Every structure is written in C-alpha cells, then in structure tokens.
Amino acid sequence: MKISEREKYLLGILLAVLVVVGYYQFVYTKQVEKIDGLKTQRAASQSKYNEVMATINSLDSKKEQVKILNAKISDKSKNLYPELIQEKLILEIDDLIKGSNLKANVNFSNLQVQGVESNKSTYQPLPSSSLQSLADQYNNKASQSTTVTNNQQSGNSNQAAQQNNNGQTKDSSGGNTAQQMKVTLSFKGTYSNLATFIKNVEARNKRIVLSNLSMTQSSDKNISGSLTMEFYAVPKIGDEDSDYSKWILNNKYGKDSPFGGQISTLSTTIEDSAKQKEEKNDFSMIAKPINSDLPTLTIGKDSDQSRTSYLYADNSNVEKLEVVFTKDKDGNYYYKYKTSKNSYPLQYSSKGIGFKPTSDDIRFNIFSTLRQGTSDKAGVDLKVINNTDKVVSIIVNGDDGTDPRVKITGEGTAVNVTQR
C-alpha cells in the first residue's frame, strides 16, 4: 500500500499528538502530583520549623515565667506546713498555752486529706432609712451616697453571679485537697490570757486557723470556753521545710523515773524558739543571679502573709525598679513600686497601698549576692522616691563590693543607704 505525502504528514501529526498526550498523561501529570505533594510537605515542614523556632525563641521567657511561678508558689505556701506531725503540733500548742498562761485540755482529730472548707459570709446590707437621702443632700454627700450605692449594687451582682442553681455560694476550693487536722482546745484563764494566746497564734510563721470560739464567765476575772485550731499542710516544691520532720529535741525531758521523781523542764520547743529576734522591717528585696532557681528580683512588704504585695522580675541584665513612698495630708503613708513589666498595685497612677511604718524610719532591707563571674550581669537599678516626712533607711546585705548588684538612687526626702 502506497502512502501519499499528505497521509504521511497527517500520520506524523497524529503520532506527535499521541506522544504529547501520553507524556502528559503518564509523565507530566504524575510529576505535577509529586510536586504538589512535595509542596504540601514543604509547607507542613515550614510550619513545624516555625513552631520549633518560636518555642526555642520563647525558652528564655518561659524560663522566666517558670522561675516566677515557682517563687510565687513557694511564697504562697511558705506559711503552710509541709506535713502534719502530731508530736510537733503538741509541742507548738504546749508552747502557745504556756506562753499565754492558759490552762487547757487538748483533743486531736484524725489526720485527714480532703477539700478545704470555705467560710461563706452571710452578711446582708440593711436598707437605708427613707430620710437618709435628705440628710445626705443637706450634708452635701449626695455624690458619695451614689458611689456607695453603685459599689453595693456591683457587689450584689458579683455575689449573685457566684451562686449556682440552688442559690448557694460556690465553693472556691475547686476540688483541691490538703492534709488537715483539727484540735479542740478547752481552756480556763483570764480574758487577757486568751488575747495573748490568739496574738501568739497570729505571730507564728505557720498559719493556724482559729474557729468556733465560745467562752463564758466563770468568775469575776476568769473565763472558760473552747475553740478549734485548724492545721493545714501541702507538699512543697522546694527544700525550704526539709528540716521540719527532723526531731531536734535532744534535751532531757519527762520524768527521770516513770514511778516518781522530778519532771525535767523542756528547754526547747520547735525550731523557731532558737531563733534570735530580728529587727522589724517594712519592706524587703532579694537580688539573685540569673542562674538562680529564684527570680533575679523579688520585692514585697514584710509580714505579708498573703504575698499579694510581692513583685517579681527575672532579667539577665539590669532590671529597673522604682519604689515610691507617699504621705498624704491626713498623715497616712502609702507605697507602690514597679519593674519594667509589672507594678504593684496595678493602678500605678494611684497613691498606692496604705501601710504603717514599724519605726521612726521606713526600713527597707535588701539581700543581695556576690557576682558569679564576669558573665553575671544581673542586677537592680533601684530608684527610691521619698515623698514623706520620714527617712527611708535602706540596709544592703551581702552585695558584691567590687561590682555591686544593687545600685540605689534617691529623690525627695532623705534616703540613707547602709552596706553590710
């Protein structure tokens, strides 16, 4: 069969089309699918890479947050027991009873681990007199009355928001449990003895909750009654209370003979009895290196059991800290402070938080540490603004003599700095 030139040309075109279609169908399409798959993998890898890099870049800030959280947890749990040891509690209660000259009998409950009971307030504000608005208007107190009313309404709305469907206030424990032991104390003595007992309980560095106090007059001067002492313990994340379980009473105590003889006096109690009385300070600050387990800066008001006044910062370089003391026209004293990120109180533009100085001066104790080497750049640039009639007396303990970790400048009334 003879093929013409025209047919040869058409067959060539057909063959070329078949080659192109075959290449597209069996080569090009598959290559495009592979390329799309690789693009998807690349995008997923890029996203994963970005997440990893973001995590790496945030490690420093996360370490700072962990250190600050650990410090907050440690400070919050500092006034709680690490565990409840009945023998130790007996010594504490004995010390409190002897220190107040009360005569008492003690009954211990069993050690339990359960949720902490929340005492719910049943206070309901009384309605105002129908003539109160007229009296307030006459005394130019209408605006103040409106403010109080708004605050009460806000408080009532908040209280209503915290109630569940049964009308009961929600338990704020959130299901958290703790070791707890209750001690019923039946006492006899004077009212002054009881007041001393309560004052001594409040002065202890571990929290003891007093509840269910009842008393009656037994004579002209004496009273009798009972109260409940509640002890709580939580596990500690640090080793601050590691020595609590150690029995430190090596003195001879009890009777020399179980059948008679003199009772030896107990010359030591718990570990706090051996501590010397320290000078009372109004504020304290700690400065640490960046490789410390604690933040490089911790500041707070002394004797703040709730630790709400504590402020933290963790900076590998110099952290700027401003502390302001103010006295108003009524003779009240206020304080506030701020770091590069946070402040106390949050409304820093206000006068601050009221306090009462413990002495003629405003005492500020600073605990610093020596430099760990040339790479240790962590420090505090402290600026104290004194707008009071008192002298701010700052005592710096343990700072580096060559390269001080804490540098202090003052404004306003005198700011005295003593290095120890």
Side-chain angles (χ1 to χ4, degrees):
M1 181 177 179
K2 205 170 193 181
I3 300 175
S4 64
E5 292 296 328
R6 182 174 178 275
E7 290 174 341
K8 290 180 181 180
Y9 179 75
L10 293 175
L11 287 174
I13 294 174
L14 178 61
L15 182 61
V17 170
L18 290 175
V19 171
V20 171
V21 171
Y23 176 81
Y24 177 82
Q25 186 70 26
F26 299 103
V27 179
Y28 179 79
T29 302
K30 291 184 178 180
Q31 292 297 325
V32 169
E33 290 177 354
K34 289 182 180 180
I35 292 173
D36 291 339
L38 291 174
K39 286 182 178 179
T40 303
Q41 293 179 10
R42 180 180 181 279
S45 300
Q46 184 67 37
S47 176
K48 193 172 182 179
Y49 171 80
N50 293 337
E51 290 179 3
V52 172
M53 291 305 298
T55 302
I56 294 174
N57 294 332
S58 65
L59 282 179
D60 290 338
S61 63
K62 288 185 181 296
K63 288 180 181 179
E64 176 183 351
Q65 293 173 8
V66 168
K67 290 173 69 173
I68 291 177
L69 284 175
N70 286 339
K72 287 183 177 180
I73 293 172
S74 177
D75 289 334
K76 291 287 186 182
S77 62
K78 197 172 187 178
N79 59 349
L80 296 175
Y81 293 88
E83 58 179 326
L84 295 181
I85 303 175
Q86 188 168 350
E87 292 82 357
K88 290 266 189 177
L89 300 184
I90 290 173
L91 294 178
E92 287 199 54
I93 296 173
D94 181 69
D95 182 44
L96 290 168
I97 293 173
K98 288 181 178 179
S100 61
N101 294 322
L102 280 176
K103 295 181 179 179
N105 295 322
V106 179
N107 182 27
F108 283 81
S109 70
N110 294 327
L111 179 64
Q112 296 180 336
V113 177
Q114 60 184 17
V116 179
E117 299 177 3
S118 59
N119 295 325
K120 306 175 183 64
S121 175
T122 58
Y123 169 75
Q124 293 292 340
L126 295 175
S128 301
S129 168
S130 60
L131 301 177
Q132 186 64 47
S133 59
L134 294 175
D136 290 341
Q137 185 176 2
Y138 178 81
N139 294 323
N140 294 325
K141 293 182 179 180
S143 59
Q144 297 179 9
S145 176
T146 302
T147 302
V148 172
T149 302
N150 291 335
N151 291 337
Q152 290 178 349
Q153 291 176 351
S154 176
N156 292 337
S157 62
N158 291 336
Q159 184 177 5
Q162 293 176 348
Q163 293 180 347
N164 59 15
N165 294 333
N166 296 327
Q168 299 292 332
T169 304
K170 289 184 179 179
D171 189 350
S172 60
S173 61
N176 296 326
T177 60
Q179 274 192 6
Q180 50 189 282
M181 181 181 290
K182 296 182 179 181
V183 178
T184 302
L185 189 74
S186 301
F187 59 86
K188 293 181 180 179
T190 65
Y191 183 81
S192 177
N193 297 147
L194 177 61
T196 302
F197 177 85
I198 295 175
K199 183 178 180 181
N200 292 342
V201 169
E202 293 176 345
R204 301 196 81 82
N205 63 349
K206 298 298 182 185
R207 187 183 185 112
I208 303 174
V209 179
L210 300 181
S211 61
N212 300 328
L213 173 62
S214 63
M215 57 182 172
T216 57
Q217 186 174 6
S218 57
S219 65
D220 292 340
K221 294 184 179 180
N222 293 331
I223 60 173
S224 61
S226 64
L227 57 84
T228 302
M229 304 176 68
E230 301 176 12
F231 299 85
Y232 297 93
V234 296
K236 301 300 183 72
I237 61 173
D239 58 353
E240 57 179 307
D241 289 324
S242 59
D243 294 335
Y244 178 76
S245 59
K246 295 180 181 178
W247 190 262
I248 64 170
L249 299 182
N250 298 321
N251 298 52
K252 187 176 181 181
Y253 57 94
K255 290 186 177 181
D256 294 330
S257 170
F259 303 104
Q262 298 290 333
I263 297 178
S264 301
T265 58
L266 186 63
S267 60
T268 58
T269 57
I270 61 173
E271 51 269 24
D272 288 340
S273 63
K275 293 182 180 179
Q276 296 181 354
K277 292 185 177 179
E278 300 178 353
E279 296 178 345
K280 290 186 177 181
N281 297 298
D282 297 300
F283 300 90
S284 293
M285 189 188 87
I286 300 175
K288 293 281 187 179
I290 190 64
N291 58 1
S292 170
D293 292 335
L294 296 175
T296 58
L297 168 63
T298 304
I299 183 174
K301 190 180 183 303
D302 275 29
S303 303
D304 182 7
Q305 297 294 333
S306 64
R307 270 63 175 176
T308 54
S309 67
Y310 282 30
L311 198 63
Y312 308 87
D314 197 56
N315 193 338
S316 58
N317 294 309
V318 177
E319 178 70 28
K320 290 186 178 296
L321 172 65
E322 180 182 274
V323 180
V324 181
F325 300 108
T326 306
K327 180 183 179 182
D328 64 11
K329 60 182 180 181
D330 297 324
N332 300 314
Y333 292 88
Y334 299 87
Y335 72 94
K336 60 180 180 179
Y337 32 74
K338 68 175 180 178
T339 62
S340 59
K341 294 182 179 179
N342 300 301
S343 68
Y344 182 78
L346 292 176
Q347 294 78 18
Y348 195 73
S349 58
S350 65
K351 289 188 295 186
I353 306 299
F355 78 103
K356 184 177 181 180
T358 57
S359 63
D360 293 337
D361 296 341
I362 298 176
R363 299 182 62 86
F364 194 168
N365 214 4
I366 298 177
F367 300 92
S368 184
T369 51
L370 299 175
R371 295 285 184 182
Q372 305 274 315
T374 55
S375 61
D376 183 5
K377 302 297 183 182
V380 179
D381 186 1
L382 173 59
K383 180 180 179 181
V384 179
I385 302 175
N386 185 11
N387 297 325
T388 72
D389 57 348
K390 292 181 177 292
V391 175
V392 176
S393 179
I394 302 176
I395 300 176
V396 183
N397 302 274
D399 203 0
D400 196 294
T402 305
D403 185 11
R405 191 180 297 277
V406 180
K407 297 179 180 179
I408 304 171
T409 58
E411 289 185 9
T413 314
V415 177
N416 293 341
V417 180
T418 303
Q419 298 284 345
R420 287 184 180 178

